[in-house]
Amino acid sequence: MSEGNSNSSSNQMWGGRFAAGPASIMEEINASIGFDKKLYAQDIAGSIAHATMLAAQKIITDADRDQIIAGLNQIKGEIESGQFVFSRKLEDIHMNVESRLAELIGPAAGRLHTGRSRNDQVAVDFRLWVKAELIKTDALMTGLIKAFLDKAEAHADTVMPGFTHLQTAQPVTFGHHCMAYVEMIGRDRSRVRDAIARLDESPLGAAALAGTPYPIDRHMTATALGFREPTRNSIDTVSDRDFALEFLSLAAISATHLSRFAEEIVIWTTPQFGFIRLSDAFSTGSSIMPQKKNPDAAELVRAKTGRINGSLIALLTVMKGLPLAYSKDMQEDKEQVFDAAESLELALAAMTGMVADMTVNVTRMKAAAGAGFSTATDLADWLVRAVGLPFREAHHVTGRAVALAESKACDLSDLSLDELQAIHPGVTEDVYKVVTVEASVAARKSYGGTAPDQVRSQIAAWRGRV
Ligand code: ARG
C-alpha cells in the first residue's frame, strides 16, 4: 500500500487507531491557529509597527508600506466581524494573516516579513498579550483590595476569634482579618507590576535567533508598540518565556490567596460557624435539600487554583529541557497562559463580588471570640503588668484559672474575685477590665496589631494606595 494523506492510507503498522494519514496528523499536532488566533490584534499591531519601520529605514517603499498597512487593517476588520476564514493548513495566526494579506495586496505582502521571523513575531505578540492581561489583572486586584477595605472599615470593631491551627487563639477584629487579605492581594498586585516592568522589552528584530543584516531600527518598533526598550540579546529573546512563567507564577500565588479566603468562606458559612452569609447572588441551592445554601462560588475559586497551579507546572516542565534558542515545544505556552488568565480573572471577580455582598453575623462572631478562653493571654499579661509576676508564673496561674472555669463550664470573666484570689492572692477587681474580648483587642495596639485604631490607620494608608 502506498503512503499518502488520505484516510484510507494510515500507516499499516501503527495506523489502526488513526482516522487519517501521517500528514494530516502532522497538521493537527503542528497547528496553533485554534488558540493563537486570540493574538490577532497583537500580531497586526506588530506587523504595522514593523512595516512602518521598514519604510522609515528605506528597506521597503512608502507605497508598499501603505498597501501593507491598509491590508492589515482590512484583515483586522474581517477578523472582528467574523468574516475571516482561519485555516489550519496555515498553521498559526502569523501565516493566516500574511497569507490573507497576499490575497488582498499581492506581491507587496511578501515584503512584510523582511528582517523578522515568526520566532520574534510570536514573542512580540505574546508579550503584548500578557502585558495587556497584567494591566487588566492589576485593575481586578485593585477592585478586590477596595472590597476588602470597605469590609474592614465597616468591621474595624467587630470582634471575632483569631485562629491558629483553626483552634481559637486570641480575639481579633474582622477588620483586621480582612486587612490581612489586603496585604496579600497588595503583594500580588506588586508582583503584577514587577512582571510588567520586566517584560516591557520588545523582541521584534531578534529575527530567527541571530538578528538580521537589514538596517532595522529596533528602538523605533519598541516605542511604537509601547515597549520601554528593545531586548538586548537575540538568542535569549526568541527562547525566553519568563514573562509567561512569571504571569503563571504570580497567578498561582494570587489564586492561592483567593483559595485561602474561599476556604474560610466555606467554613464560616456553615451553620456550625455562622459567621457570615453570602448573598443569594453568590450561592446556590441544592436540588434535593431545600434548606441548603451552598458556597459554590467560593468552592470554584478554590478549585480554579488547582487549575492555575497545573498551568504553571505544565509550562515550567515544557521549558526545562529546551536548548537555546526557539523550539516548537514553546508553542505549548499559550494555552496554559490563556486558561490561567481566564481562571484568575473569574476568581478575582467572583471573590470581589462575594466580599462586597457578604453579611457578617456580628453576634455570632463575638460569642465565638469569647469562647475557648481566648482572653487567657490577656489575664497572664495583666498578672505580669499589674501584679508583677514573671510571665512563666503568670502563665501557670492563668492555666489554673482556665482549668477552674472549664470545670465550672463558665468563662474566665465569670469566675468570682474570691475564686481568682484563691488561685493568686494578688488578683484585684481590675482584672475584669482586661478579660473581655473588646479589652483584649483594644489592648493590642502594637504596630500592625488588631486594635481597632491600628486597623483604621492601616485602612487609611491603603486607601491612599488604591
Ligand atoms: N506558532 C508558533 C508558536 O506558537 C510560531 C513560531 C513558529 N516558529 C517556528 N520556527 N516554527 O511558537
Side-chain angles (χ1 to χ4, degrees):
M1 210 190 216
S2 69
E3 293 213 314
N5 299 342
S6 69
N7 287 3
S8 57
S9 59
S10 64
N11 187 289
Q12 274 193 342
M13 303 300 288
W14 49 260
R17 64 174 295 262
F18 292 95
S24 172
I25 293 299
M26 178 57 198
E27 188 183 301
E28 189 170 342
I29 194 171
N30 200 33
S32 54
I33 189 62
F35 48 86
D36 68 14
K37 60 174 131 185
K38 232 188 168 88
L39 300 175
Y40 79 90
Q42 290 78 10
D43 196 70
I44 288 171
S47 290
I48 290 176
H50 187 64
T52 306
M53 178 278 293
L54 290 177
Q57 296 298 104
K58 309 281 179 231
I59 301 166
I60 64 172
T61 65
D62 288 357
D64 284 345
R65 173 202 59 202
D66 293 346
Q67 271 197 299
I68 288 170
I69 292 176
L72 288 169
N73 281 324
Q74 178 173 338
I75 292 168
K76 191 169 184 211
E78 290 174 358
I79 294 174
E80 285 171 355
S81 65
Q83 286 167 270
F84 192 93
V85 186
F86 291 102
S87 155
R88 201 175 74 174
K89 289 217 176 332
L90 293 167
E91 270 188 51
D92 54 27
I93 185 65
H94 325 295
M95 299 208 291
N96 269 267
V97 170
E98 197 182 316
S99 143
R100 177 69 182 139
L101 187 64
E103 277 173 21
L104 290 174
I105 68 168
R111 301 194 190 281
L112 170 60
H113 213 50
T114 314
R116 76 171 184 187
S117 144
R118 271 192 297 158
N119 295 351
D120 56 341
Q121 193 179 355
V122 71
V124 171
D125 295 3
F126 199 26
R127 269 191 201 234
L128 286 173
W129 192 92
V130 172
K131 185 178 170 185
E133 186 62 28
L134 285 167
I135 291 167
K136 220 193 269 183
T137 307
D138 186 314
L140 286 168
M141 286 176 173
T142 302
L144 179 55
I145 291 172
K146 284 185 184 157
F148 270 121
L149 284 175
D150 290 345
K151 276 289 141 177
E153 192 142 55
H155 293 283
D157 294 297
T158 301
V159 182
M160 68 176 274
F163 300 96
T164 59
H165 314 267
L166 195 54
Q167 305 287 324
T168 299
Q170 293 173 345
V172 296
T173 66
F174 184 55
H176 196 44
H177 197 94
C178 287
M179 289 304 289
Y181 283 95
V182 166
E183 293 291 334
M184 291 150 85
I185 311 300
R187 286 194 295 275
D188 294 338
R189 196 179 66 159
S190 80
R191 269 183 280 275
V192 166
R193 293 175 181 186
D194 291 348
I196 292 174
R198 256 189 303 279
L199 74 61
D200 209 8
E201 298 173 351
S202 173
L204 197 55
L209 82 164
T212 172
Y214 297 98
I216 60 171
D217 182 350
R218 295 193 57 211
H219 289 85
M220 180 179 171
T221 47
T223 303
L225 292 169
F227 287 112
R228 189 182 55 236
E229 57 190 323
T231 54
R232 291 162 301 280
N233 180 296
S234 59
I235 297 175
D236 174 50
T237 301
V238 296
S239 70
D240 167 43
R241 289 295 181 271
D242 286 6
F243 59 95
L245 290 171
E246 279 202 53
F247 174 78
L248 292 171
S249 311
L250 70 86
I253 296 173
S254 186
T256 298
H257 293 154
L258 302 183
S259 185
R260 292 179 76 171
F261 195 60
E263 171 67 5
E264 294 189 325
I265 290 174
V266 169
I267 295 172
W268 293 350
T269 51
T270 57
Q272 290 77 2
F273 267 80
F275 282 7
I276 58 170
R277 257 180 92 80
L278 289 180
S279 70
D280 289 353
F282 284 98
S283 28
T284 57
S286 156
S287 55
I288 175 164
M289 297 164 282
Q291 84 283 10
K292 290 202 68 179
K293 189 166 171 184
N294 295 327
D296 292 33
E299 293 168 287
L300 288 164
V301 166
R302 199 170 56 180
K304 294 283 182 205
T305 308
R307 196 164 158 158
I308 294 171
N309 289 351
S311 292
L312 170 61
I313 298 302
L315 187 56
L316 283 169
T317 310
V318 165
M319 297 303 295
K320 69 175 273 300
L322 301 187
L324 304 189
Y326 178 88
S327 296
K328 196 61 174 270
D329 310 49
M330 289 160 68
Q331 178 165 287
E332 293 284 320
D333 55 1
K334 288 165 217 66
E335 282 169 294
Q336 302 302 339
V337 169
F338 293 158
D339 188 80
E342 191 180 326
S343 296
L344 184 63
E345 273 186 40
L346 261 174
L348 283 166
M351 191 53 92
T352 305
M354 282 188 279
V355 171
D357 280 15
M358 66 174 52
T359 49
V360 176
N361 189 329
V362 174
T363 317
R364 285 292 291 250
M365 275 193 181
K366 185 179 167 186
F373 311 108
S374 65
T375 58
T377 319
D378 298 274
L379 174 55
D381 287 339
W382 181 83
L383 289 165
V384 170
R385 277 198 323 269
V387 187
L389 299 189
F391 183 77
R392 279 293 151 223
E393 192 185 340
H395 187 284
H396 186 74
V397 168
T398 304
R400 289 178 55 204
V402 166
L404 179 61
E406 198 161 34
S407 73
K408 297 184 66 189
C410 69
D411 284 341
L412 281 175
S413 55
D414 299 326
L415 295 175
S416 71
L417 191 57
D418 282 349
E419 284 169 324
L420 287 169
Q421 284 175 338
I423 295 170
H424 195 283
V427 178
T428 66
E429 197 62 52
D430 280 352
V431 74
Y432 293 104
K433 289 186 205 145
V434 301
V435 291
T436 66
V437 289
E438 288 83 0
S440 173
V441 297
R444 284 177 167 66
K445 293 199 257 309
S446 51
Y447 183 79
T450 197
D453 286 348
Q454 275 297 326
V455 173
R456 286 198 182 88
S457 76
Q458 292 300 333
I459 295 170
W462 270 101
R463 291 269 184 222
R465 290 173 206 136
V466 295

